[in-house]
Amino acid sequence: MEKRKTQFRMPAAFTVLILLTIVVAIITQFIPAITPAKVSDVVMAPIDGFASALGVSLFVLVLGGFLGVVMKTGSLNAGITAVVKKLNGKETWMIPILMFLISVGGTTYGMFEETIAFYALVTSTMVAAGFDPLIAASTILLGSTAGTLGATVNPFSVSASVDALNSVGIESNQTIIILAGCVSWIVCYLIGAVFVVRYANKVKADRKASLLTEDEWASVEKEYSGDKQPDASADFTLRQKVVLVLFGISFVVIIVGMIPWNSFDIHLFDHTSFLTGVNLGDWYFSELTAWFLVMAIVIGLVYGLKEREIVNSFLGGAGDLIGVALVIAVSRGVSVIMSSTGLDMYILEKAFGALQGTSSLLFTGVSYIVYLLLSVLIPSSSGLATVSMPIMGPLAQNLGLVPEIMVCVLSGSCALINCISPTSGTLMGAISICRVEFSTWVRYIWKPLAAMLVVHIVILSIGMVVL
């Protein structure tokens, strides 16, 4: 590849997050209404963040170990080679298909953090097909964002918001939420799919069209090329096919395990707690972690790896994702220091106060912008719903507007912010796996996110008037 002109490099993700923590601590010194952060708060923020993110961080490490065992069998590379050969020039079809499937998970059960399991596999596939890792990252992230933005029955944003509205005497019409969510989901999915496919076609035609810097390409080639690149001449053995079937089952089970079946009055999995002690449908990161640990052992044994080979490949795979786990943990530290000083609630109160005098015509757009800011401070959609909906619902109702649309506003703002904010541990972990720097990601992703933002505000503004 031709040498590119050296570009300015943003600091590493760890540096950005530490600097952000320090900036937040400095801000607290000038607001009398909150508790000013001490030096010890800044020092302990990454450690406390690790404690807060322990579940997802451990999941990432065990996932890395699971992938390490699978890679040791050579099955994944052989399978990717077979897929790329089968597509034979139609590789871009993978993008809208994968994006749609992920978006379905987003709209139904809020699949976002769980997508961390897919980045290494999708990046390997995309690089083998001649694309760059930005395409892999955006296929997953924009797919998830479109789905969670257009949440229909997502328990983390929709159900939590409905419960919060009920707590202040507002009965929600779920049909309105589902209708507005479906329209938002499909439209924003199409925006994301068109953007990624167009970029993918440019990179496929000319690798120099990629936004990756020279250093990023070097990192990508080190991680996803060489001996890790699928060998086009390798045989795809029966044992490897069996391993890939088990590999696929592993991911199907985690999806089934995360969908809240009981909330849909579906009881097919009421007696599936024999493995983790928790039924499928009630799983979270502890159960997902245990499942991948079990499947790593099963796959190693089925393929015929020796005990030491299983252990060493597992440890090697986990080691590859240590940096990712730490980035996720440190990003949580920013939220920890905002919460411990009261900065998040202070900004929350000021934002709601500013909305009091807003005209009904501008209310949807202004409240959306306010929620974007609040979503940085409180990355948890369920947490934000609990503290904000008892205020925002009645406020919308008093203006003669539809309080159910505020549920969609919250879902959209949380989804968009999590796709670009450095306080989003999943985002920072995902682009670390893809070997993409945060500055490159922002430069690439801001256009589709801006388009989704504008379109979603328009859809919800219409909904406020019509519904």
Side-chain angles (χ1 to χ4, degrees):
M1 190 181 81
E2 291 183 11
K3 284 280 184 180
R4 296 187 181 186
K5 189 175 180 179
T6 303
Q7 300 181 20
F8 169 75
R9 292 191 66 190
M10 279 283 290
F14 286 108
T15 307
V16 171
L17 293 169
I18 294 297
L19 290 175
L20 185 56
T21 303
I22 294 171
V23 168
V24 169
I26 292 172
I27 290 172
T28 65
Q29 309 303 314
F30 300 96
I31 304 176
I34 67 175
T35 304
K38 303 184 291 293
V39 172
S40 59
D41 294 324
V42 177
V43 171
M44 292 301 297
I47 310 304
D48 293 336
F50 203 119
S52 173
L54 184 59
V56 65
S57 296
L58 181 59
F59 169 70
V60 167
L61 291 178
V62 173
L63 170 66
F66 167 80
L67 292 174
V69 174
V70 175
M71 292 297 291
K72 179 68 175 178
T73 68
S75 305
L76 200 53
N77 283 353
I80 291 171
T81 300
V83 169
V84 173
K85 283 181 178 179
K86 190 78 173 177
L87 290 170
N88 191 25
K90 299 178 181 177
E91 294 87 355
T92 50
W93 282 105
M94 292 188 293
I95 296 168
I97 294 171
L98 285 173
M99 189 177 287
F100 181 76
L101 293 174
I102 291 168
S103 74
V104 171
T107 188
T108 53
Y109 72 95
M111 186 169 75
F112 182 68
E113 287 183 320
E114 300 82 5
T115 60
I116 206 78
F118 300 101
Y119 287 95
L121 171 62
V122 174
T123 302
S124 296
T125 306
M126 293 297 184
V127 171
F131 301 128
D132 73 14
L134 280 170
I135 298 165
S138 55
T139 294
I140 300 173
L141 278 165
L142 283 181
S144 175
T145 297
T148 52
L149 174 148
T152 50
V153 291
N154 178 355
F156 303 107
S157 58
V158 174
S159 298
S161 295
V162 168
D163 286 344
L165 289 174
N166 289 342
S167 70
V168 291
I170 296 177
E171 294 294 328
S172 301
N173 185 339
Q174 291 277 60
T175 303
I176 292 176
I177 297 172
I178 292 172
L179 177 61
C182 280
V183 173
S184 303
W185 161 37
I186 296 301
V187 172
C188 289
Y189 158 74
L190 291 173
I191 291 172
V194 169
F195 173 82
V196 180
V197 168
R198 288 181 63 186
Y199 176 77
N201 286 331
K202 289 179 182 178
V203 173
K204 184 73 172 176
D206 181 6
R207 188 174 176 181
K208 289 186 290 185
S210 170
L211 294 179
L212 263 64
T213 64
E214 199 175 317
D215 289 336
E216 286 170 309
W217 268 119
S219 180
V220 169
E221 288 167 352
K222 179 180 178 182
E223 179 62 26
Y224 294 105
S225 299
D227 60 348
K228 297 185 179 182
Q229 182 74 18
D231 182 2
S233 63
D235 292 329
F236 194 14
T237 67
L238 176 60
R239 189 169 289 188
Q240 288 176 330
K241 291 177 181 178
V242 172
V243 166
L244 278 191
V245 170
L246 293 173
F247 180 81
I249 290 172
S250 301
F251 285 91
V252 170
V253 169
I254 71 165
I255 293 171
V256 172
M258 292 296 295
I259 296 175
W261 300 105
N262 286 335
S263 66
F264 306 141
D265 201 27
I266 296 174
H267 303 283
L268 292 174
F269 305 102
D270 283 355
H271 303 288
T272 55
S273 61
F274 64 92
L275 184 63
T276 65
V278 177
N279 287 329
L280 290 170
D282 296 322
W283 280 20
Y284 203 49
F285 282 110
S286 294
E287 291 76 27
L288 298 179
T289 302
W291 171 247
F292 274 121
L293 177 60
V294 169
M295 289 308 295
I297 297 169
V298 169
I299 286 174
L301 292 175
V302 167
Y303 189 76
L305 295 178
K306 297 177 180 178
E307 173 267 338
R308 191 168 293 274
E309 288 179 312
I310 296 175
V311 172
N312 289 342
S313 56
F314 185 91
L315 293 177
D320 288 340
L321 293 188
I322 284 178
V324 176
L326 291 175
V327 164
I328 293 172
V330 173
S331 70
R332 289 284 182 91
V334 181
S335 299
V336 167
I337 201 167
M338 287 192 292
S339 176
S340 64
T341 59
L343 179 60
D344 53 356
M345 298 307 298
Y346 174 81
I347 296 177
L348 191 71
E349 292 171 4
K350 294 297 181 184
F352 291 152
L355 282 170
Q356 292 286 347
T358 305
S359 70
S360 57
L361 185 63
L362 299 175
F363 183 78
T364 304
V366 175
S367 61
Y368 205 116
I369 301 303
V370 168
Y371 262 115
L372 286 172
L373 175 61
L374 297 178
S375 298
V376 176
L377 305 176
I378 309 175
S380 166
S381 57
S382 56
L384 183 56
T386 301
V387 299
S388 69
M389 277 300 150
I391 301 171
M392 294 299 291
L395 185 57
Q397 195 172 54
N398 291 339
L399 290 171
L401 301 175
V402 184
E404 287 88 350
I405 295 296
M406 294 311 303
V407 178
C408 302
V409 169
L410 180 143
S411 298
S413 58
C414 286
L416 291 171
I417 282 299
N418 279 330
C419 197
I420 200 169
S421 170
T423 63
S424 170
T426 302
L427 167 64
M428 300 304 286
I431 61 176
S432 294
I433 292 172
C434 297
R435 300 301 186 261
V436 173
E437 293 184 1
F438 181 67
S439 58
T440 303
W441 174 252
V442 172
R443 189 154 48 95
Y444 167 77
I445 207 66
W446 75 267
K447 290 182 181 179
L449 290 186
M452 287 182 178
L453 170 63
V454 173
V455 167
H456 199 213
I457 289 176
V458 170
I459 291 172
L460 297 185
S461 297
I462 294 171
M464 276 289 196
V465 175
V466 174
L467 297 176

